[in-house]
Structure formats: C-alpha cells, structure tokens
C-alpha cells in the first residue's frame, strides 16, 4: 500500500501516481458483450488487482475525498492513514488469506422529501477503503455490460444525460410513460440472486466470498445487532454498483423486448406510444420484478401517464414549437420555496449574514441541477418573493418605533417620512411590499449585504 510506504510525500504528489489505475489496464480473461456474448472474468487474478498498491492508494484518496461520518468503530477519515501505517500488513494478510471480516454497518436515518425516512448503513472507514478498491476493479468490467439507457451511479452518466434521453424519446413520439416505483429497493435485494447476477460475469471465488461478506455483515441499530438477510445498505462505495448489477437484469429484459426506457438507479421510466400499451407493459414488468427479482412494486406510486404531468428525477416536460424541454416539477419548486421559508424564519434568531450564507449554500446546488431546465420565470418570481421575506424579517427585527425611525433615516429616508412609516399599523408582510422598504432596502442594497441574486446566478450557470 503506497500510502504507507511513502507517507512523507504529499497527497498531491501521490495522486499523480494513482492516476494510473487498474481501470486503464487490459482485463485478461474478459470477453466483450457488444456482440451479445457473456462476459466472464474467471481468468483474471482479482485478488492481485484489488490488493494492488496503486488500486488501494486510489481507493484511499477517494475515501478521504468523500469524507463522511465515522462507522461503528468511531474511526474518522483523518484517522485512516495512521491506522494503515500501523496495521497495513495485517490488513493485507487477512484479505489475502480470506480471514477479513467487515464490521456491521452503523444505521443512520435521514429524512426524505416526502416525510419518510431513508435508511443508510455507514461502514467503517477501513471497510469503505476495501469496498472502494473492489468497486474500482469491478466498475470497468460491468461498464461493458450495462445498458446505454442506465444512468445512475455510473461514470460520466449524469441525471442531466438521463433527462436528455427522455426529451429525445418524447420528440420521437413516445408520449406515454410507465413510471415504476420500487418499494425500499436497497433494503429488499435478495443476496442469493445478487451473487448469481455478479457470478454471471465474475467467477472468482475469492472476490465473490468478499462481496457476500459485505452483504451479510449486518447492521448495528443503536446497541442492537440486526443480521442482514436482504439488502445492500446505502452508504458504502460498493452498494451503488451492486444495485446496478441487480437491476441490469431488468434492463436486459426491456432491451430484449425492444422497449424504450431510461433508468437512474431504482427510478425507471418506460416510454411507449399509448396508454393501452403502457398498461400491458406495466403488468408484464410487474410480474418480472416480483416473481423473478423478488422485489416489491409500490403499486400506489407506479403509474402510466404523460411525461408532461409526471416527474422524473425532479423534472417534468413541457412542449413548445421546438419540441420538448425540461422544467422543474411542481413538487421540486414547492420544496425549494418551503426550504427558503424555513431558512428565513425570523424566530430562528440568526444573523442576516448567516441567513444569506445558508440561502447561498442551498440555492447554488439547486440552481446548478435545475438550471438544466427552463426556469427563468420561476426564479424571477422566487427572487421577488425571497426579497420580500428578507425585508419582512428585517422589519420585524426593528421591534421598537424609535429603532425603525433610526434605521430608516440611516437608509436615507427623510425624517418626516421615517416617523410616518415607523408608526404604521400595517403588518410586516404588507410593509415589506410598500414603497418605504423597497426604496430603502433596495435590491442592490440587499445584494450588497450578501443576499444571492438568483436570477443572475442562474444566468451565470447557464452561460458557463
């Protein structure tokens, strides 16, 4: 493991070495699937490739760059290098002789936009390192296998790429969509089927045994150990790849039947030309998912409808004379407005500087993602609404009449008008829309204090 042997080098220097990754080497023993042949990797020395020091160094950098919270043992990402220096050989020996045992993952629940909870399983940083090393070796192999209509958790295939394909399919005349929803997909994957699907392409006992141990390492929910008989816990570097391997069976079925589809992780949309065809496809695919893949279809959320009304990856479609284009779905716009409302609540007791910083942190990523679609008019309205929220918040903070008079005078309001407006009996929201605050707390003034101009930011993102 190079990171241990040459720890005096800087990470930047070491990173130049790690750019020569196993992904760039020839994969002896593999056969291309372009012609429909089965890909096998039984002739490859997987142990040597996973434990190759360049591969492990690259995995270390990726784990360190991703940061993340500590696992069950409490070891942080910053503690990983000292641990490797002290235990490098012992770790490598345990991996090589098959005695390595991953620790249970730590259960963490995060809120979902719909109000539910998403279960994550956080492996220890050492287990994350090994999972990442395995994923780096397997990814280029399965990239030869995966469908061109699959996008999630794959290199150089983004959500925007998926939406582009959706737009293209709509413009080809596929105006009806089968929107599949799998219930708790990551928690219901069957281990035996997963290993069967992996072994179709990788026939190495050492690697298959290691993958199964990661799948069955169990979960610590508080102080209670829960054995894992199903699922591939979200939170580890290997889990996204395994999830794609499992659903690749669905991709193969849809491709063999000539269906047009776009899948992003467990979100799958199948595009057809009529609602009647969509109902037939839905019934057939439901049978396959539940009978052959042992997954649960959420029948309440799975539906057949129009891409102009249903959402996919937070987007819906609209149409103009140039064809279809993406726009943020109604729920996406409602959620961001609600998030800004929570940030700008006056009773939070935070400074304007912190409030503006939180707005910037929230909106920068949102605009970068949804700026792919058409949303200038919405952002212009949101800008106006947000500035009114800020003016209202500032007005509320000037609780006393003498404070209002003082602040208005400081902002350039004449003394007589400052006294008149400071004594108003109108509510803060009404006052935020009147001339006194618009002419004193101008858009330029708020921007100078640090408030993001979302319209300008969007324009910069879209023109970059």
């Amino acid at each position: 493991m190079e990171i241990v042997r040459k720890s005096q080098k800087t990470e930047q220097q070491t990173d130049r070495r790690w750019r020569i990754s196993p992904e760039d080497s020839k994969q002896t023993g593999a056969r291309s699937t372009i012609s429909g042949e089965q890909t096998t990797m039984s002739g490859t020395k997987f142990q040597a490739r996973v434990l190759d020091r360049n591969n492990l160094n690259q995995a270390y950098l990726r784990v360190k760059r991703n940061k993340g919270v500590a696992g069950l043992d409490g070891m942080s990402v910053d503690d990983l290098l000292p641990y490797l220096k002290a235990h490098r050989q012992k770790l490598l020996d345990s991996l090589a002789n098959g005695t390595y045992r991953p620790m249970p993952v730590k259960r963490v629940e995060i809120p979902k936009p719909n109000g539910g909870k998403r279960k994550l399983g956080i492996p220890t940083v050492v287990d994350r390192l090994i999972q990442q090393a395995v994923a780096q070796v397997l990814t280029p192999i399965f990239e030869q296998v995966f469908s061109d209509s699959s996008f999630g958790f794959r290199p150089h295939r983004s959500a925007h790429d998926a939406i582009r394909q959706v737009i293209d399919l709509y413009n080809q005349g596929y105006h009806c969509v089968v929107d599949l929803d799998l219930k708790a997909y990551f928690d219901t994957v069957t281990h035996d089927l997963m290993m069967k699907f992996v072994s179709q392409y990788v026939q190495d006992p050492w690697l298959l045994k290691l993958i199964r141990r990661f799948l069955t390492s169990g979960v610590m929910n508080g102080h209670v150990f829960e054995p894992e008989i199903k699922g591939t816990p979200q939170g580890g570097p290997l889990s996204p790849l395994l999830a794609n391997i499992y659903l690749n069976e669905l991709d193969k079925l849809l491709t063999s039947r000539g269906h047009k589809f776009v899948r992003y992780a467990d979100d799958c949309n199948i595009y057809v030309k009529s609602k009647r065809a969509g109902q037939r496809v839905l019934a057939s695919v439901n049978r396959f998912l539940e009978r052959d893949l042992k997954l649960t279809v959420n029948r309440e959320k799975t539906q057949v409808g129009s891409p102009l009304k249903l959402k996919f990856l937070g987007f819906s479609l609209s149409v103009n004379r140039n064809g279809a284009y993406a726009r943020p779905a109604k729920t996406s716009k409602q959620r961001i407005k609600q998030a800004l409302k929570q940030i700008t609540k006056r009773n939070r007791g935070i400074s304007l500087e912190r409030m503006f910083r939180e707005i910037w942190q929230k909106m920068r990523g949102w605009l970068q993602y949804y700026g792919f679609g058409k949303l200038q008019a919405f952002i212009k309205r949101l800008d106006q609404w947000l500035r009114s929220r800020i003016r209202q918040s500032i007005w509320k903070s000037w609780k006393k009449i003498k404070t209002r008079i003082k602040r208005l005078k400081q902002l350039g309001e004449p003394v007589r008008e400052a006294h008149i407006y400071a004594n108003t009996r109108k509510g803060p929201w009404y006052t935020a829309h009147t001339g006194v605050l618009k002419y004193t707390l101008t858009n330029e003034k708020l921007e100078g204090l640090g408030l993001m101009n979302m319209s300008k930011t969007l324009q910069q993102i879209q023109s970059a």
Side-chain angles (χ1 to χ4, degrees):
M1 197 176 287
E2 188 78 8
I3 192 62
V4 177
R5 292 183 178 179
K6 299 190 178 182
S7 58
Q8 299 301 315
K9 291 189 175 183
T10 64
E11 280 191 7
Q12 185 177 4
Q13 290 171 324
T14 314
D15 188 34
R16 284 196 289 269
R17 287 181 53 109
W18 295 337
R19 287 176 188 168
I20 304 174
S21 73
E23 299 177 12
D24 301 320
S25 60
K26 290 184 179 180
Q27 299 159 0
T28 57
R31 290 184 290 166
S32 171
T33 56
I34 296 174
S35 61
E37 296 180 80
Q38 183 188 30
T39 298
T40 63
M41 291 297 298
S42 55
T44 298
K45 300 285 186 180
F46 272 104
Q47 183 181 124
R49 296 192 66 205
V50 171
L51 302 185
D52 174 78
R53 72 188 173 194
N54 282 338
N55 187 50
L56 290 170
N57 288 339
Q58 187 182 35
Y60 167 80
L61 277 189
R62 180 65 65 86
V63 170
K64 186 170 178 62
R65 187 164 58 246
N66 289 344
K67 300 180 181 179
V69 300
L72 195 62
D73 60 358
M75 186 188 301
S76 69
V77 173
D78 292 333
D79 298 328
L80 181 56
L81 180 56
Y83 175 86
L84 294 175
K85 288 179 179 179
H87 300 92
R88 167 188 171 275
Q89 195 57 50
K90 183 180 178 181
L91 176 61
L92 290 176
D93 289 345
S94 68
L95 284 162
N97 62 30
T99 59
Y100 174 79
R101 291 287 190 280
M103 290 187 69
V105 298
K106 182 170 71 175
R107 172 67 75 219
V108 175
E109 293 185 346
I110 59 173
K112 295 171 69 174
N114 60 9
K117 296 284 186 180
R118 187 185 304 280
K119 294 180 180 180
L120 299 182
I122 308 300
T124 66
V125 289
V126 175
D127 288 338
R128 295 211 290 268
L129 172 72
I130 305 306
Q131 285 194 35
Q132 181 63 39
V134 172
Q136 287 169 181
V137 171
L138 289 182
T139 294
I141 296 167
F142 282 95
E143 279 301 304
Q144 301 177 60
V145 175
F146 290 154
S147 168
D148 288 340
S149 296
S150 160
F151 293 88
F153 304 132
R154 294 182 60 189
H156 315 299
R157 297 179 70 80
S158 68
H160 291 169
D161 293 327
I163 297 301
R164 287 188 187 95
Q165 186 156 317
V166 168
I167 293 171
D168 186 52
L169 288 172
Y170 189 91
N171 288 335
Q172 290 179 38
Y174 295 91
H175 295 173
C176 192
V177 60
V178 180
D179 184 11
L180 290 174
D181 188 275
L182 298 176
K183 191 172 183 179
Y185 166 65
F186 285 87
D187 299 325
T188 55
V189 164
T190 302
H191 291 167
D192 287 341
L193 283 176
M194 173 69 80
M195 298 311 302
K196 173 187 173 183
F197 300 148
V198 174
S199 64
Q200 288 177 353
Y201 307 100
V202 175
Q203 299 173 0
D204 182 272
W206 179 84
L207 186 57
L208 294 175
K209 184 178 180 181
L210 183 59
I211 293 172
R212 186 177 279 276
R213 282 184 175 171
F214 279 122
L215 288 173
T216 58
S217 61
V219 173
M220 284 298 292
N221 197 348
H223 297 288
V224 179
F225 174 77
E226 299 174 355
E228 286 286 276
I229 58 175
K230 282 186 176 184
T232 172
Q234 297 181 74
L238 191 56
S239 181
L241 175 61
L242 294 178
N244 266 334
I245 292 171
Y246 202 91
L247 282 180
N248 187 53
E249 300 302 307
L250 172 63
D251 297 347
K252 290 194 294 187
L253 175 80
L254 296 175
T255 301
S256 69
R257 294 180 178 178
H259 293 311
K260 304 293 184 180
F261 68 97
V262 179
R263 183 175 66 79
Y264 192 95
D266 58 330
D267 290 330
C268 184
N269 278 3
I270 307 167
Y271 292 86
V272 293
K273 294 191 174 181
S274 71
K275 193 165 185 177
R276 184 175 178 182
Q279 295 292 355
R280 287 199 306 269
V281 171
L282 176 59
S284 174
V285 170
N286 277 353
R287 285 195 300 271
F288 174 78
L289 289 169
E290 295 182 338
R291 182 189 62 198
D292 296 75
L293 298 188
K294 311 301 181 187
L295 298 173
T296 303
V297 177
N298 189 333
R299 297 184 183 277
E300 293 181 1
K301 294 184 178 180
T302 295
Q303 53 190 318
V304 179
S306 168
L308 304 181
K309 296 180 180 179
L310 301 181
K311 68 171 183 174
F312 181 58
L313 304 180
F315 289 93
S316 294
L317 298 187
S318 288
V319 182
N320 58 23
R321 62 184 179 181
N322 297 318
Y325 62 88
R327 58 179 171 81
K330 183 179 179 180
T331 53
S332 302
K333 293 189 284 190
Q334 290 172 339
R335 284 172 186 163
I336 194 60
K337 190 170 183 178
Q338 185 61 33
L340 290 174
K341 187 175 289 187
Q342 291 299 315
I343 291 173
T344 55
K345 284 179 68 174
R346 181 60 205 164
N347 60 9
R348 295 183 65 211
I350 62 173
S351 66
L352 270 182
E353 181 183 4
R354 179 179 167 186
M355 185 185 293
F356 291 166
R357 185 168 62 250
E358 290 183 9
I359 291 170
W360 190 92
Q361 291 170 344
K362 185 71 178 178
M363 289 306 304
R364 181 71 187 183
W366 196 91
L367 290 171
Q368 284 179 326
Y369 182 74
Y370 287 101
F372 173 78
K374 189 174 181 180
L375 72 162
Q376 289 86 345
F378 168 72
I379 290 300
K380 183 178 180 181
R381 294 193 302 271
L382 192 66
D383 253 335
Q384 294 169 345
W385 172 85
L386 181 60
R387 285 191 287 261
S388 295
R389 288 279 298 181
I390 299 299
R391 291 185 179 109
Q392 173 189 244
S393 179
I394 293 173
W395 184 256
K396 281 185 176 181
S397 70
W398 301 341
K399 296 181 181 179
K400 296 181 180 179
I401 292 176
K402 64 178 183 180
T403 303
R404 293 175 180 174
I405 294 172
K406 178 182 176 181
R407 297 300 186 195
L408 289 174
K409 287 165 61 179
Q410 288 174 344
L411 290 168
E413 193 71 15
V415 175
R416 183 174 178 275
E417 281 76 6
H419 279 80
I420 293 172
Y421 288 122
N423 284 277
T424 181
R425 294 188 179 184
K426 300 293 185 181
W429 186 245
Y430 177 88
T431 307
H433 288 81
T434 58
V436 62
L437 290 187
K438 284 189 176 182
Y439 292 132
T440 52
L441 290 171
T442 62
N443 298 351
E444 292 74 17
K445 180 70 174 178
L446 292 176
E447 196 172 338
L449 292 172
L451 178 62
M452 171 189 269
N453 185 317
M454 294 183 286
S455 297
K456 285 184 181 178
T457 304
L458 176 64
Q459 188 176 17
Q460 290 168 358
I461 289 171
Q462 292 182 332
S463 61

